[in-house]
Amino acid sequence: MSTQERKKSAFSLTVMRIKAEPFLYLAPFALGILVFTLYPIINVFLMSFKENFNYITKEFSGWGLGNYQYILKDPYFIQAFKNTFFYVFIVIPISTCLSVVIATLLNQKIKFSGLFQTAYFLPMVTSTIAVGLAWKFMFNYRSGVINYLLNCFGFESLNWLQVTTYNFPALCIYGIWAILPFTIILLLSGLQNIDPMYYTAAKVDGAGPIKSFFRITIPLLMPTIFLVLIINTISTFKVFNELFPLFNGPGVSNNLFTVVYYIYYQFRVKMPSKYGYAAAAAVVLFLVIFVFTMIQRWIEKKTKD
Amino acid sequence: MKITIQHLTKRFGATTAVNDFSAEIQSGELIALLGPSGCGKSTMLNMISGILPVTEGKIFFDEEDVTDLSPEKRGIGLVFQNYALYPHMTVLENIAFPLEIKKVKRAEREAKAKEMAKLVHVDMLLDRKPKQLSGGQQQRVAIARALIKNPRVLLLDEPLSNLDARLRIEMREEIRRIQTETKVTTIFVTHDQEEAMSISDHIVLMKDGFLQQVAQPQQLYDEPVNCFVADFLGNPPINKTHGVIQNGQLVLDGGCCVTLDKAAICKEGQKVTLSMRAEAITVDENEKNAKGIIEETYVMGKEVLAYVLLGDYKVRAYIPAEKEFTKGQKVNIGLKKRGVFLFDDETGERLA
Ligand SMILES: Nc1ncnc2c1ncn2[C@@H]1O[C@H](COP(=O)(O)OP(=O)(O)O)[C@@H](O)[C@H]1O
Ligand SMILES: [Mg+2]
């Protein structure tokens, strides 16, 4: 090999090293995702098409859509789907609107704003079990503060936790409350990114607080609101944990199935476990969330132009 | 509309940003509020606009006391240093926003906004967002938005400082044109003396929160009331020398003797500052006020800029190009009447 050739090959080796370096740094993380995220997802997807799959022996009777056919006819799955949809469509708008208002108020230079901020973020650092217990007390038919408030405004007490009709509203109230702190934190950071000079300009232009809220704050906060909407829609579609503090399960008489609870039910509660049904339900949920996220991003793009 | 400012003071904790400021601004004029950075110009402007409450003193628009009125009730138009155009609105919506707040009907306010856009020459950009505009165009939109309510005063805070040099000259002429067309009383904040000199009817010069002088640009240049005013105006900067009055003559540090009529009014032994504009100094001509030594000469087109040693001081002078001097040559220095000032060394007050 001539010196020139050697030089050239050495050169291309360094180039390769430079090109490979970033991938080297990414490798551990990529490996983690591959093993702990991608592999299970593919596995679930495959499992949903395996009929009569046995998780232990890995045996199955054949490929097909049997699992999907079963769950789409299963009254529990249909109930779970309805509940989840209603939950998302009630919790998301109410929690988002509430959070925008509360975050805007917290962002004002008011007295005790530090105190209020702490009060709103406390739920994030408190144990879910303890908080759930507290909510159980608050929803109590006889001694709960929520019924007390209802009575104050002239309404009758509701048996939130024991009567099936009121289970769902109770779940929604608890769900809205649970999602607020995180949403408010994100919105607050969005609000703090709005240059105060726009408010001064609007004030000089004659806009009062309400006008400048709707014409300045909301439009300039829109990117953060969309972010919050997407994150929260995904997480509320997966409603599951919220069932346990109040009801220890899907309502008082299996009336509060959600899609994730249905997956859990097929997988863990039912004997023998039906892994295929669980996997099919998971894939359906994934598709629904995917479609919703795409729709939201499409709307976001549209409103931007 | 006439603006009267009486004993206006603004304190932020321990710092006094504006100190016992009194001035009168005549109706329909373009006023430059001039001063170095941090001297309280923005504070002053924000008090006139009502964004900042005053600590002491009063502000009148004509006969009306507006001191405690909120900004939207004062009838002012304000242009911010970085324009503060609403990023989510189009040019048209931005300009029409003040009328939208006033609940003017859509068709009417858009017609008015288009009229304003035409005045400031952005009528072909109505559907753009602020991000899609150049600095100069944003500036024009900001002015249109400020003018749409027919304000009694137009206030501009360093409106040109975000523009490049060429655009700055173009825009300052535009501001002058728009002001002349609308005849609105205008206050224009700047730290650039050249900018202030070139477009304003009167200059209000301030320093460290104190008013220094209110005058027409040329008058401010020719008749500064104190040493700071003389220093602040003019390019190249004025030549500043210090000395003592002895036997009716001024002896500069370093022993250079200057014969001056103006010295007659000074006390014997008084310490004074002699400030001379470069164009007020002649070299080797009829008058002989002092002797100097040529230090350096630079040919600058039709003129020659000479550095001349007067005692310990190196002063700049313009000399005709046809004369030739060598370094170290002794020359007679003449001082014209105009552009030569004597100030008290301690107070900085003008003596002659
Ligand atoms: N909100 C404020 N709080 C405290 N000090 C301020 C505030 N605004 C201005 N100052 C002070 O007042 C002085 C004048 O400021 P400003 O009016 O902005 O000057 P200019 O516009 O002439 O550069 C400065 O010393 C500045 O630090
Ligand atoms: Mg300023």
Side-chain angles (χ1 to χ4, degrees):
Chain A
M1 205 168 25
S2 74
T3 39
Q4 204 169 13
E5 254 175 86
R6 202 180 307 142
K7 236 184 213 163
K8 201 173 159 195
S9 75
F11 176 70
S12 62
L13 207 73
T14 38
V15 167
M16 251 183 48
R17 199 177 296 153
I18 288 166
K19 276 194 178 156
E21 206 174 286
F23 293 101
L24 209 68
Y25 294 134
L26 281 174
F29 188 63
L31 204 72
I33 288 198
L34 221 64
V35 172
F36 295 109
T37 309
L38 220 52
Y39 172 74
I41 287 176
I42 292 168
N43 220 357
V44 164
F45 190 75
L46 291 178
M47 210 195 296
S48 73
F49 294 102
K50 293 177 182 171
E51 288 172 4
N52 301 316
F53 179 67
N54 185 321
Y55 195 71
I56 312 296
T57 61
K58 306 279 184 228
E59 285 168 352
F60 57 101
S61 59
W63 297 93
L65 293 172
N67 295 326
Y68 290 94
Q69 280 163 351
Y70 174 84
I71 63 162
L72 292 177
K73 282 198 209 106
D74 184 353
Y76 274 127
F77 184 73
I78 293 164
Q79 187 217 95
F81 222 90
K82 274 189 194 157
N83 280 337
T84 306
F85 260 90
F86 277 119
Y87 182 77
V88 171
F89 282 98
I90 288 169
V91 169
I92 290 295
I94 296 179
S95 69
T96 310
C97 292
L98 267 179
S99 306
V100 169
V101 172
I102 294 171
T104 309
L105 292 177
L106 286 181
N107 199 34
Q108 309 297 313
K109 288 191 193 77
I110 48 168
K111 269 187 193 170
F112 309 121
S113 76
L115 195 74
F116 283 115
Q117 289 191 10
T118 316
Y120 276 99
F121 302 141
L122 212 55
M124 279 190 95
V125 293
T126 326
S127 129
T128 336
I129 306 292
V131 170
L133 220 66
W135 275 91
K136 231 173 170 162
F137 285 125
M138 297 204 304
F139 276 123
N140 190 290
Y141 180 56
R142 270 178 237 293
S143 56
V145 66
I146 294 178
N147 279 342
Y148 176 77
L149 286 176
L150 282 182
N151 295 339
C152 283
F153 289 103
F155 296 100
E156 283 189 24
S157 292
L158 301 178
N159 199 341
W160 298 96
L161 302 181
Q162 267 92 38
V163 174
T164 50
T165 354
Y166 304 127
N167 282 178
F168 186 71
L171 177 71
C172 288
I173 291 173
Y174 175 72
I176 289 168
W177 174 85
I179 213 174
L180 279 184
F182 169 74
T183 315
I184 292 170
I185 285 187
L186 277 187
L187 290 171
L188 254 181
S189 80
L191 283 172
Q192 273 152 13
N193 276 334
I194 299 177
D195 195 320
M197 80 179 168
Y198 296 124
Y199 293 112
T200 315
K203 190 164 161 46
V204 172
D205 287 341
I210 304 285
K211 259 282 176 194
S212 81
F213 176 75
F214 284 109
R215 287 299 269 137
I216 310 290
T217 309
I218 294 289
L220 292 180
L221 193 60
M222 225 47 204
T224 319
I225 293 178
F226 269 109
L227 178 77
V228 159
L229 277 179
I230 288 177
I231 295 178
N232 282 351
T233 307
I234 292 173
S235 81
T236 44
F237 262 120
K238 296 191 289 190
V239 51
F240 173 70
N241 285 334
E242 291 80 349
L243 294 172
F244 292 91
L246 295 183
F247 311 106
N248 267 327
V252 275
S253 60
N254 282 348
N255 56 320
L256 274 193
F257 264 68
T258 66
V259 176
V260 173
Y261 187 84
Y262 181 83
I263 296 169
Y264 173 78
Y265 162 81
Q266 292 293 2
F267 202 89
R268 293 298 298 253
V269 182
K270 215 162 141 188
M271 282 301 156
S273 300
K274 296 288 185 190
Y275 301 110
Y277 299 161
V283 171
V284 171
L285 180 63
F286 166 76
L287 288 178
V288 169
I289 292 177
F290 184 76
V291 167
F292 264 84
T293 309
M294 285 301 129
I295 293 174
Q296 281 175 334
R297 299 203 47 178
W298 180 77
I299 296 173
E300 185 183 5
K301 274 227 179 77
K302 278 275 148 187
T303 52
K304 241 186 204 164
D305 305 329
Chain B
M1 186 207 55
K2 191 174 98 176
I3 303 172
T4 311
I5 295 160
Q6 290 177 353
H7 305 291
L8 206 59
T9 298
K10 178 72 194 181
R11 279 186 282 271
F12 295 107
T15 52
T16 307
V18 171
N19 209 330
D20 195 24
F21 192 108
S22 297
E24 253 184 32
I25 288 162
Q26 298 307 322
S27 184
E29 288 204 334
L30 197 165
I31 299 296
L33 187 54
L34 178 66
S37 261
C39 73
K41 306 180 297 293
S42 298
T43 308
M44 188 69 213
L45 200 75
N46 289 341
M47 285 193 289
I48 297 174
S49 70
I51 293 174
L52 270 181
V54 311
T55 309
E56 276 162 34
K58 287 200 176 303
I59 302 167
F60 293 89
F61 286 1
D62 282 333
E63 306 308 317
E64 186 191 352
D65 183 352
V66 297
T67 316
D68 298 320
L69 234 48
S70 56
E72 69 276 11
K73 295 199 183 109
R74 291 192 185 190
I76 51 142
L78 186 58
V79 176
F80 294 83
Q81 189 166 350
N82 24 19
Y83 320 132
L85 296 177
Y86 308 121
H88 52 290
M89 298 185 203
T90 63
V91 166
L92 187 70
E93 288 170 323
N94 260 289
I95 299 176
F97 187 71
L99 297 187
E100 183 192 325
I101 298 296
K102 275 189 173 174
K103 300 202 166 66
V104 175
K105 292 228 172 57
R106 183 178 212 101
E108 195 182 325
R109 70 174 188 246
E110 288 191 350
K112 188 85 207 286
K114 281 175 187 163
E115 190 185 310
M116 281 295 136
K118 205 167 255 159
L119 172 74
V120 300
H121 300 332
V122 291
D123 40 332
M124 57 296 174
L125 305 169
L126 293 174
D127 295 327
R128 298 237 192 130
K129 292 271 175 72
K131 248 192 293 183
Q132 302 164 308
L133 301 179
S134 71
Q137 290 166 337
Q138 291 189 25
Q139 170 88 86
R140 289 164 190 269
V141 175
I143 294 174
R145 185 179 66 183
L147 285 174
I148 197 166
K149 283 181 297 184
N150 293 322
R152 299 196 278 178
V153 209
L154 177 62
L155 306 170
L156 306 112
D157 193 352
E158 310 233 7
L160 306 177
S161 59
N162 285 349
L163 304 177
D164 61 61
R166 278 262 302 273
L167 209 52
R168 211 175 298 168
I169 293 176
E170 182 189 321
M171 276 315 294
R172 80 183 183 208
E173 279 157 12
E174 276 296 280
I175 290 174
R176 178 86 248 199
R177 174 186 67 80
I178 294 163
Q179 197 268 335
T180 319
E181 274 180 40
T182 57
K183 297 187 185 63
V184 59
T185 310
T186 302
I187 302 179
F188 175 106
V189 166
T190 178
H191 62 259
D192 181 341
Q193 51 103 9
E194 202 186 319
E195 211 167 277
M197 298 279 284
S198 60
I199 68 164
S200 55
D201 295 312
H202 278 94
I203 293 177
V204 175
L205 184 59
M206 57 188 295
K207 178 202 174 193
D208 299 340
F210 287 96
L211 174 67
Q212 302 294 309
Q213 190 171 4
V214 184
Q216 289 169 359
Q218 195 59 46
Q219 195 188 354
L220 203 65
Y221 187 78
D222 288 338
E223 299 294 338
V225 295
N226 61 35
C227 192
F228 170 78
V229 178
D231 278 347
F232 199 74
L233 295 168
N235 193 14
I238 200 163
N239 296 299
K240 201 164 138 186
T241 61
H242 301 279
V244 187
I245 303 292
Q246 282 173 6
N247 307 323
Q249 280 196 324
L250 171 59
V251 180
L252 298 182
D253 301 346
C256 175
C257 216
V258 184
T259 324
L260 265 186
D261 301 342
K262 291 178 179 175
I265 61 157
C266 301
K267 286 179 294 215
E268 187 68 17
Q270 188 174 11
K271 286 188 172 160
V272 296
T273 304
L274 173 68
S275 294
M276 302 156 280
R277 301 228 180 263
E279 69 270 17
I281 301 174
T282 60
V283 177
D284 264 351
E285 286 185 359
N286 300 333
E287 314 103 65
K288 295 185 192 73
N289 297 83
K291 289 202 188 304
I293 300 166
I294 295 286
E295 167 89 3
E296 211 95 59
T297 57
Y298 297 97
V299 182
M300 303 173 72
K302 63 183 198 302
E303 280 170 323
V304 173
L305 178 66
Y307 283 87
V308 184
L309 276 180
L310 284 181
D312 288 346
Y313 298 99
K314 199 154 72 165
V315 302
R316 293 179 209 84
Y318 285 113
I319 52 180
E322 59 273 11
K323 288 194 182 166
E324 295 229 342
F325 295 102
T326 52
K327 196 176 165 186
Q329 183 180 344
K330 290 205 167 105
V331 289
N332 287 328
I333 297 297
L335 295 177
K336 295 180 183 168
K337 284 234 153 47
R338 197 171 154 193
V340 176
F341 315 107
L342 269 183
F343 302 105
D344 188 297
D345 235 9
E346 269 161 38
T347 62
E349 290 304 312
R350 172 97 177 264
L351 298 169

